[in-house]
Amino acid sequence: AQKVTQAQTEISVVEKEDVTLDCVYETRDTTYYLFWYKQPPSGELVFLIRRNSFDEQNEISGRYSWNFQKSTSSFNFTITASQVVDSAVYFCALKRDTGRRALTFGSGTRLQVQP
Amino acid sequence: SAVISQKPSRDICQRGTSLTIQCQVDSQVTMMFWYRQQPGQSLTLIATANQGSEATYESGFVIDKFPISRPNLTFSTLTVSNMSPEDSSIYLCSTNRGGTDTQYFGPGTRLTVL
């Protein structure tokens, strides 16, 4: 069975602070995919990143960066110099490489960035 | 990225009625997924819909309550039957597009049952 844990229910920071959202996953598969999605107040789910299990390179995209560590089954997401527009619920998700390939979501972390 | 549209975007329904949600993708796709997001919760998979076969439901979801149609490779519907207030949720359809492993989501249907 697969499981994704986002232990941080809610985080509040002040604008320009850096913030890291944690994601720990469990799977018996050797090949899988990890995702981060952003859900702003409008409700739409916005894709941020996909990482394959065989690619442990960290990735940076503007103010966003992701740290994938297979040894600790973690896929953490850091926002540098946070902005009010970053306020949203962020979901980490896991997908198998076989079978129905639907996503298993974590419980989400609500990020509030105060001006 | 995939362009996925859903109708209606929101609705307020009476207890005991049914609502059919439509999902349209701008290209042919093999699998379409239906998720439910209850208020303040994460997303839970309802079922997977392949064209030409019956949908596969997850534990806790049954066809009588959530019948799904998949008449072609770009369209699917989810019906929420005999609704109760507990069915108040956002319903999202999703698919991989273009053979990639990235799953994109429609804008969601926000359902309120009174």
Side-chain angles (χ1 to χ4, degrees):
Chain A
Q2 301 191 114
K3 186 178 178 182
V4 177
T5 301
Q6 294 180 254
Q8 303 151 309
T9 305
E10 186 161 346
I11 301 174
S12 183
V13 300
V14 177
E15 214 169 12
K16 298 185 183 176
E17 283 186 24
D18 298 346
V19 58
T20 295
L21 310 181
D22 297 333
C23 173
V24 174
Y25 63 92
E26 296 175 30
T27 180
R28 293 186 179 183
D29 295 341
T30 54
T31 305
Y32 50 89
Y33 301 90
L34 294 163
F35 299 81
W36 277 95
Y37 289 88
K38 174 182 180 181
Q39 189 175 44
S42 62
E44 190 161 355
L45 217 60
V46 178
F47 164 73
L48 295 178
I49 189 172
R50 182 193 82 206
R51 174 61 72 217
N52 304 337
S53 56
F54 48 84
D55 181 4
E56 286 194 69
Q57 284 190 4
N58 292 330
E59 181 152 339
I60 299 175
S61 176
R63 296 184 296 107
Y64 295 171
S65 63
W66 291 269
N67 183 1
F68 175 32
Q69 291 196 346
K70 239 175 159 176
S71 60
T72 57
S73 297
S74 65
F75 186 41
N76 296 337
F77 173 30
T78 297
I79 302 174
T80 303
S82 59
Q83 300 176 0
V84 172
V85 293
D86 295 327
S87 297
V89 179
Y90 291 86
F91 290 98
C92 180
L94 171 68
K95 189 178 82 165
R96 305 186 69 185
D97 190 35
T98 58
R100 291 199 294 276
R101 302 189 180 186
L103 293 168
T104 299
F105 281 87
S107 55
T109 297
R110 180 178 299 277
L111 174 63
Q112 298 262 33
V113 181
Q114 309 288 346
Chain B
S1 64
V3 177
I4 306 172
S5 60
Q6 284 185 235
K7 283 193 230 182
S9 58
R10 58 177 64 229
D11 208 341
I12 300 174
C13 300
Q14 296 298 320
R15 181 196 297 261
T17 62
S18 298
L19 176 72
T20 295
I21 302 167
Q22 299 178 10
C23 179
Q24 179 77 53
V25 186
D26 67 341
S27 62
Q28 295 184 341
V29 295
T30 304
M31 286 187 282
M32 295 179 75
F33 305 94
W34 286 98
Y35 290 84
R36 180 177 75 180
Q37 186 178 24
Q38 294 177 299
Q41 304 295 313
S42 184
L43 283 80
T44 302
L45 181 67
I46 297 171
T48 303
N50 284 342
Q51 195 268 335
S53 62
E54 284 199 10
T56 303
Y57 289 82
E58 297 301 300
S59 175
F61 297 96
V62 295
I63 187 171
D64 289 347
K65 176 67 176 176
F66 297 101
I68 288 172
S69 78
R70 183 81 202 273
N72 58 53
L73 290 172
T74 63
F75 187 78
S76 178
T77 67
L78 169 76
T79 299
V80 186
S81 303
N82 188 23
M83 290 185 284
S84 66
E86 292 71 36
D87 294 319
S88 297
S89 298
I90 300 174
Y91 293 86
L92 300 104
C93 70
S94 172
T95 188
N96 299 29
R97 182 176 180 268
T100 72
D101 292 297
T102 298
Q103 211 163 100
Y104 294 97
F105 286 80
T109 296
R110 195 179 293 265
L111 171 62
T112 302
V113 184
L114 303 178

